[in-house]
Amino acid sequence: MQRKERFQAFVDHFSSSFPEAETELHYSNPYELLVAVVLSAQCTDKRINQVTPALFHRFPSPKELAESSVDEIFNYIRSVSYPNNKAKHLLGLGQKLMDSFQGEVPESLEDLQTLPGVGRKTANVIASVIYNQPAMAVDTHVYRVSRRLGLVPQTATTPLKVEQILVKNLPDEVIARAHHWLILHGRYICLARKPMCPTCQISHFCAYFEKNKPKI
């Protein structure tokens, strides 16, 4: 199957079976999503959703976050991965939002990446989820699944290269949803150590399955 055909099969399948895919992080405004995504690095969404209710109650806006301290923030996020670094990031993030953006979450990738703790992946999440831009955030699931399916070649060995190929080949109107399609498929079906190929509904256009399916 050619790559163009795989992309079409991918879009057709998920557009019909999972048309309203969205993040599993809980949030009610751009600031809350930004904080949650920063916290979610190398940590599960389930854990972040357990932590953020109390965190957002204490710090309902960038202003309260900016006026806090690393030690206080740490006490609210101690159960997430790398809490010391993330507490520093959140304090700096709150201060930067207040100092440079009047307490609002910026729209552009360039501005977003000036915020402490915000790299290209996080910036792409905010741009796509909050501002409906055709941006593709590449995390470990997106990287793994897009390569396994054959949407991107095995020679695409960096998140940026994977991002560029996906954005080039997907229609703009589905890029934001495609990010979630790939994440959720990787989280629940196309597992890193043991993909669930026998029960996968898209194995018929998967390059990994073509190569590894049992010989009859």
Side-chain angles (χ1 to χ4, degrees):
M1 181 179 284
Q2 297 299 310
R3 182 163 293 115
K4 183 177 180 180
E5 295 174 302
R6 291 189 201 277
F7 269 102
Q8 189 61 58
F10 170 77
V11 172
D12 288 346
H13 172 80
F14 284 102
S15 292
S16 60
S17 65
F18 206 178
E20 301 302 325
E22 58 187 16
T23 180
E24 293 186 312
L25 291 169
H26 297 165
Y27 70 98
S28 60
N29 57 54
Y31 157 73
E32 289 186 358
L33 180 62
L34 178 60
V35 169
V37 176
V38 169
L39 288 175
S40 72
Q42 296 180 280
C43 196
T44 65
D45 288 0
K46 181 179 179 180
R47 168 62 60 186
I48 302 309
N49 289 336
Q50 292 170 344
V51 167
T52 50
L55 182 71
F56 294 152
H57 180 75
R58 170 62 186 87
F59 308 111
S61 77
K63 181 177 185 295
E64 289 80 14
L65 200 60
E67 294 172 351
S68 183
S69 67
V70 170
D71 289 342
E72 184 182 15
I73 296 169
F74 175 87
N75 286 330
Y76 285 89
I77 66 168
R78 61 171 64 245
S79 64
V80 308
S81 60
Y82 308 106
N84 287 296
N85 283 339
K86 289 178 180 178
K88 295 175 185 176
H89 289 327
L90 291 188
L91 178 62
L93 184 151
Q95 292 171 342
K96 181 70 173 180
L97 287 175
M98 293 304 297
D99 292 343
S100 301
F101 302 104
Q102 295 77 51
E104 299 294 327
V105 176
E107 292 188 33
S108 76
L109 292 179
E110 292 75 17
D111 285 344
L112 284 164
Q113 289 179 86
T114 67
L115 301 171
V118 177
R120 186 174 181 87
K121 182 189 75 173
T122 297
N124 276 329
V125 171
I126 302 304
S128 63
V129 174
I130 299 299
Y131 298 116
N132 298 313
Q133 298 176 23
M136 173 62 69
V138 178
D139 69 353
T140 180
H141 298 302
V142 173
Y143 181 85
R144 178 179 72 254
V145 174
S146 61
R147 283 159 49 90
R148 277 186 180 167
L149 288 177
L151 298 178
V152 301
Q154 296 302 304
T155 53
T157 56
T158 67
L160 179 58
K161 188 62 177 176
V162 169
E163 174 192 331
Q164 291 170 335
I165 295 172
L166 291 174
V167 168
K168 180 180 178 181
N169 288 277
L170 287 166
D172 283 357
E173 64 270 19
V174 305
I175 289 175
R177 284 180 290 152
H179 162 71
H180 299 301
W181 291 338
L182 290 164
I183 285 179
L184 296 173
H185 191 68
R187 188 172 290 166
Y188 298 111
I189 303 295
C190 194
L191 309 180
R193 294 186 179 181
K194 192 176 182 181
M196 300 166 65
C197 296
T199 58
C200 178
Q201 295 181 353
I202 61 174
S203 59
H204 60 285
F205 64 81
C206 175
Y208 176 89
F209 182 74
E210 285 177 12
K211 183 178 180 180
N212 294 280
K213 63 184 176 182
K215 302 295 189 293
I216 299 176

